[in-house]
Amino acid sequence: MTDTRTRLLKGAVWIALGSMIANGIGFLNTIIMARLLVPEDFGLVAICAAVMAILLSLAEMPLSETLVRHDAPTEEHFNTVFSMSFARGLIVGGAVAALSYPVALLYGDMRLQNILLVMAGSFVFAGLANPKLALFERELVFHQVVLMKVGEKLFGTIVAITLALVFRSYWALVLGAVASDVARIVLSYVFYPFRPRLTFSKYREILSFSIWITLGTWIQAMNWRANPLLFGAVLPTNILGQYSFGNRITNVVIAQLNQPLQRTFFPAFSRVKNDRQKLVSAYKRVQGVACLWIFPFGFGLAVVAHDLVALVLGEKWMPAVPVIQIQAIILALQATVAIQPIAMATGDTRHLFFRDLRAFFIRWPLILLGMYLGSASYYGMLIGALIGGAVAVVINIIWNMTLVTQIAGIRLREQLQLALTPAIAVAFMALVVWLTGSMWEKPPSVPLEAVRLVSLITIGGTAYVAAVAALWQFNGRKAGPELEMAQLLKALFTKASKFRRTS
């Protein structure tokens, strides 16, 4: 267990470093795209991305996760996963190409056809992904994966910004994403050389693990990826663009910080899946760290969203501020429970399917109710839908915690306590930032506005750390997520110092 814990901490350090760099690149890319393009461009791409996501889900299978969980995968397993991934790429790419014209007719904008055709070709190429990368996760070695992520993000950003500067067109968003896909595939074979061959000899074994997750993925796509399709059908494209941009910002700042961390959960839980006591201990430790890590970014972004957008992007993007605030809080709250990795590690994937089915029937009626209550205006419909989705998230979080209780025996009260300290700390942080901002009048120049924003962020971060430290002292300095987080940050700074000395 000590070896696993050490590898997990090292992996978390690499993920933290990589996330900071990749998120910085992604944030810069999004901001520059927003400055050079218009909301309508984001809206067009959002519709196409939603079509892609839903079609992809129909052929989605957790192939690499199967290899991570397998006790002893062979070359036949890797070749089968490659073959299944390539076949999926051909099927989905062909389906997207076939539907490109009908979708363009449905939305009355023929530009969608060409965008979908390019995305279709990109996804066929993405089916060539190297399955051997799963070995890095199996061994809790993440630095190659992190370097690959940073490389693909950097290449895609360079392509997108170059095209946006030259053409000022939505094609910058599309081709930037395609460039990232190409870079990811190329780098996957650079970091782990592999010569695959086509075979489906192990498909039954792989499907036996993945079938429930595959079914759940279909429901997830309709639940979480269909928003742009609905909004695009009833809202003007420019308002859809505000929604899409708000989502991009929150994903860069919050989701991309949370998802890499979640990637360490599954292989870590898989190693101790047969020892209930170690599994419970591992879940409490990493889930507590996740809350401490994600909460300040999510709630902090919500607090400073107005000042950030006003300073960096200007008036044309101000309608996206409530979208950013609501989505940031939703993503932060979702970090309070890690049902997916623990269910997959223990093989309880059937629970995930019924969780996704339940979430669908809770979320969409609330979204539609929110749209109806806000139907006095198009913008009111959007905000109403987001609030309805937020209510559904809170309901489903509690329900997911009950599933963790069924799987690992961790009581609901114990799970809620993991989020108590960060919840109190972010409330204190938000209060301090709000009071400071209300007493600090808006400066007359852009440089002074930037100083004000950076100061508010610094003050908020300091207030959060101070609150966490005070609560830890009050609770008797017990071993827990606070100590784990301190050790993680210490390891991160040590790694950064070594890097500076050697560079």
Side-chain angles (χ1 to χ4, degrees):
M1 185 65 183
T2 302
D3 180 60
T4 298
R5 181 176 180 276
T6 301
R7 290 188 179 188
L8 184 61
L9 282 174
K10 286 183 178 179
V13 168
W14 270 103
I15 286 172
L17 283 169
S19 294
M20 290 177 189
I21 299 171
N23 290 346
I25 296 171
F27 183 77
L28 179 65
N29 179 40
T30 301
I31 294 301
I32 293 176
M33 292 295 102
R35 296 289 294 188
L36 297 175
L37 306 179
V38 296
E40 184 180 3
D41 294 328
F42 283 83
L44 285 172
V45 176
I47 293 173
C48 296
V51 172
M52 280 286 296
I54 291 174
L55 290 176
L56 171 60
S57 72
L58 299 179
E60 184 63 52
M61 289 173 287
L63 301 178
S64 63
E65 289 85 351
T66 304
L67 297 173
V68 172
R69 187 179 182 276
H70 200 287
D71 291 329
T74 65
E75 287 298 307
E76 288 296 297
H77 288 96
F78 290 106
N79 285 317
T80 299
V81 165
F82 172 85
S83 302
M84 294 174 72
S85 176
F86 182 56
R88 179 182 62 189
L90 290 174
I91 293 170
V92 175
V96 172
L99 289 174
S100 60
Y101 182 68
V103 169
L105 285 180
L106 178 65
Y107 286 93
D109 193 327
M110 299 311 296
R111 291 176 294 179
L112 297 174
Q113 181 181 17
N114 291 331
I115 296 174
L116 285 170
L117 287 174
V118 172
M119 287 184 169
S122 174
F123 194 78
V124 172
F125 185 75
L128 299 173
N130 188 349
K132 287 280 187 173
L133 293 181
L135 292 175
F136 292 141
E137 290 194 39
R138 279 179 59 85
E139 301 302 321
L140 299 178
V141 177
F142 293 96
H143 62 273
Q144 291 95 336
V145 177
V146 168
L147 292 173
M148 189 176 75
K149 183 177 181 62
V150 171
E152 69 177 73
K153 181 76 73 174
L154 181 61
F155 184 68
T157 296
I158 292 172
V159 171
I161 293 175
T162 301
L163 292 173
L165 286 169
V166 175
F167 299 106
R168 302 296 178 99
S169 166
Y170 56 84
W171 282 113
L173 296 169
V174 177
L175 297 179
V178 171
S180 290
D181 290 339
V182 171
R184 180 171 62 254
I185 301 304
V186 172
L187 289 174
S188 71
Y189 288 93
V190 170
F191 282 107
Y192 207 117
F194 174 57
R195 183 177 294 178
R197 65 180 183 84
L198 293 175
T199 179
F200 295 90
S201 60
K202 298 293 183 180
Y203 82 95
R204 291 182 182 274
E205 184 178 347
I206 292 170
L207 286 179
S208 66
F209 169 77
S210 63
I211 185 62
W212 285 108
I213 300 177
T214 301
L215 293 173
T217 302
W218 296 354
I219 304 298
Q220 280 187 30
M222 294 303 299
N223 197 9
W224 296 103
R225 301 300 184 99
N227 284 11
L229 297 183
L230 172 63
F231 296 162
V234 298
L235 302 177
T237 308
N238 64 321
I239 293 182
L240 176 61
Q242 299 283 357
Y243 166 76
S244 176
F245 171 74
N247 259 348
R248 279 174 174 261
I249 287 292
T250 52
N251 280 327
V252 167
V253 179
I254 314 300
Q256 296 305 315
L257 288 171
N258 188 30
Q259 288 172 2
L261 188 62
Q262 293 281 334
R263 291 185 67 174
T264 67
F265 292 1
F266 174 50
F269 294 160
S270 296
R271 283 172 166 254
V272 295
K273 63 180 182 291
N274 297 319
D275 189 320
R276 180 57 59 89
Q277 185 176 354
K278 289 183 178 179
L279 180 64
V280 169
S281 176
Y283 182 89
K284 287 182 177 181
R285 184 167 60 250
V286 299
Q287 186 56 55
V289 170
C291 291
L292 281 172
W293 173 247
I294 299 300
F295 271 36
F297 288 98
F299 288 92
L301 177 60
V303 172
V304 302
H306 184 277
D307 292 326
L308 176 65
V309 173
L311 171 65
V312 179
L313 300 173
E315 289 298 320
K316 74 174 180 179
W317 290 106
M318 290 307 292
V321 170
V323 176
I324 295 172
Q325 292 172 326
I326 296 171
Q327 293 294 85
I329 292 173
I330 286 175
L331 290 175
L333 291 176
Q334 287 177 328
T336 57
V337 58
I339 180 62
Q340 185 92 7
I342 196 171
M344 290 177 62
T346 57
D348 293 313
T349 52
R350 186 169 177 269
H351 280 108
L352 295 179
F353 168 71
F354 288 107
R355 173 208 63 172
D356 295 329
L357 192 63
R358 179 199 68 237
F360 179 86
F361 286 110
I362 290 175
R363 184 171 181 266
W364 276 102
L366 289 172
I367 287 177
L368 295 174
L369 176 62
M371 294 184 73
Y372 172 76
L373 294 176
S375 58
S377 68
Y378 285 128
Y379 189 68
M381 292 174 69
L382 174 61
I383 299 304
L386 293 176
I387 293 174
V391 173
V393 164
V394 173
I395 295 172
N396 282 307
I397 284 172
I398 300 300
W399 214 320
N400 287 340
M401 286 183 174
T402 64
L403 289 181
V404 173
T405 301
Q406 294 177 31
I407 293 171
I410 306 172
R411 292 178 298 176
L412 182 62
R413 181 180 177 182
E414 293 177 280
Q415 296 179 61
L416 290 172
Q417 285 177 339
L418 295 173
L420 182 60
T421 293
I424 295 173
V426 294
F428 177 71
M429 175 192 73
L431 178 62
V432 170
V433 173
W434 177 75
L435 288 174
T436 305
S438 63
M439 293 185 294
W440 192 341
E441 294 184 2
K442 185 177 179 180
S445 65
V446 171
L448 291 177
E449 284 187 50
V451 170
R452 179 179 182 271
L453 178 60
V454 171
S455 298
L456 290 176
I457 293 173
T458 303
I459 291 169
T462 304
Y464 177 75
V465 172
V468 170
L471 290 169
W472 185 47
Q473 290 282 352
F474 179 78
N475 290 324
R477 304 178 67 178
K478 297 178 181 177
E482 297 86 357
L483 185 59
E484 293 281 350
M485 193 67 185
Q487 292 174 340
L488 176 60
L489 291 174
K490 181 181 179 181
L492 176 61
F493 289 131
T494 302
K495 181 74 70 174
S497 298
K498 289 181 179 178
F499 178 78
R500 283 197 302 268
R501 287 196 297 267
T502 56
S503 60

